[in-house]
Amino acid sequence: MSTNPFKDPAAMAGILGELREEAEKLDRRLTLMEVCGTHTHSVAGAGLRRLMPEKVRLISGPGCPVCVTPVDYLDRALALAVLPGTVICTFGDLMRVPSSTVSLERARAEGARIEIVYSPRDALDLARANPELRVIFLAVGFETTVPTIAGALSEAEDEGVPNFLLLPGNKTMPQVMRVLVDDPELDVDGFLLPGHVSVITGWRLFEFLTEDFDVSGVVAGFMPTDVAQGVLALVRQVVEGRAEIGNVYGRVVTADGNVRARELVDRFFEPSDEVWRGFGTVPGSGLGLRTEFDHRNAALIEVTVPAPAEPVGCRCGDVLRGVIDPPECLLFDAGCDPDSAIGACMVSSEGTCAAWYRHERWAEGVGS
Ligand code: SF4
């Protein structure tokens, strides 16, 4: 079996050749950021960072939904999990993420009722089958995930399933990207825009980058050739003095995205201020349940939540803001690895630290 990470090595060679030619025309080094966990792993898995011309630097931002989920969200989920007659349902990635006390996985081992589900509908099915239980789904994820959550809510409302609730924690990209563009430590020249999110939102959502900041963005797919095409398109814009929203993932992403999915989301959710790990509260960057659905909002259930405490020494927040690469954390491969992860960025399969550990630590001269 071939171990070549490129489906089409000749195509990749051609793109990289064009990229080198364009990069030669730059009068400075560019910093380009991706904000999608799948891009993070595509870049790392294919070794794209090392294939970039000297004048192109690729960095990762807050693209992993589990990683940006703040510790107090997990603390609240744990507090809810020990209430009588309550079941917490979550995607598996969240299970091992540390809270201020223990992980959901540890709490389950100690007797809390916590179920791993593969979709919000699984949680709804559990609620239907167990009307005596209160089933709380941990609503974590970006624009891509929310329509399926809204779909489950819609079914629960239409069928009158009263015991299906959410702990709202969904996040949206634009406001946190404004924070990133404004960060003087980063000086981002362009964004590789998330393909999955853009399927729902459409690429027009990102026009604020050019209109308000004169910064480029290009939507890209997830094969290494897709990512390299996106980088080439970004570099070309800078060389030609343009700042536009491009789309090299036209086979899937349109200007306006999935309007019906967004209408479904709008029925249940509205913009809210949301806490992101590494960023603090970012106004308007979350999706809160509309007040008419308070009966499904588990955040309104009174529980005692401890003061939030991050793992000592973990620099996940700096990794998520793109101000350090994972090897700059002193714990990287020196106490923190996927088998004994300390922070969310190593725990999650989409995390930047996990991607670097799996694919890039040898090349960077890090590790034993
Ligand atoms: Fe946190 Fe581990 Fe990443 Fe360091 S290497 S930032 S401890 S997750």
Side-chain angles (χ1 to χ4, degrees), residues 311-319 324-337 340-347 352-354:
V312 176
C314 174
R315 297 189 65 190
C316 238
D318 291 334
V319 170
I324 67 165
D325 287 331
E328 292 174 68
C329 170
L330 295 176
L331 297 173
F332 182 85
D333 201 21
C336 182
D337 59 53
S340 52
I342 291 175
C345 301
M346 189 67 88
V347 170
T352 305
C353 296

Side-chain angles (χ1 to χ4, degrees), residues 203-214:
W203 58 257
R204 264 195 236 284
L205 179 79
F206 298 101
E207 284 182 329
F208 69 91
L209 287 172
T210 59
E211 290 166 1
D212 298 348
F213 301 101
D214 204 27

Side-chain angles (χ1 to χ4, degrees), residues 113-190:
R113 184 134 187 221
I114 299 169
E115 302 282 342
I116 295 175
V117 293
Y118 297 96
S119 81
R121 187 165 284 142
D122 292 345
L124 176 59
D125 286 343
L126 191 69
R128 283 189 186 110
N130 298 277
E132 75 286 3
L133 294 176
R134 176 166 55 190
V135 177
I136 299 174
F137 177 71
L138 302 186
V140 167
F142 297 129
E143 287 93 334
T144 327
T145 315
V146 192
T148 59
I149 299 171
L153 282 171
S154 178
E155 283 186 44
E157 284 292 298
D158 293 349
E159 292 173 30
V161 183
N163 57 330
F164 175 69
L165 287 78
L166 298 184
L167 185 59
N170 290 112
K171 295 177 171 54
T172 54
M173 273 291 157
Q175 297 307 322
V176 81
M177 288 175 72
R178 286 179 180 274
V179 175
L180 289 163
V181 181
D182 266 343
D183 189 335
E185 272 191 87
L186 284 177
D187 205 12
V188 175
D189 295 287

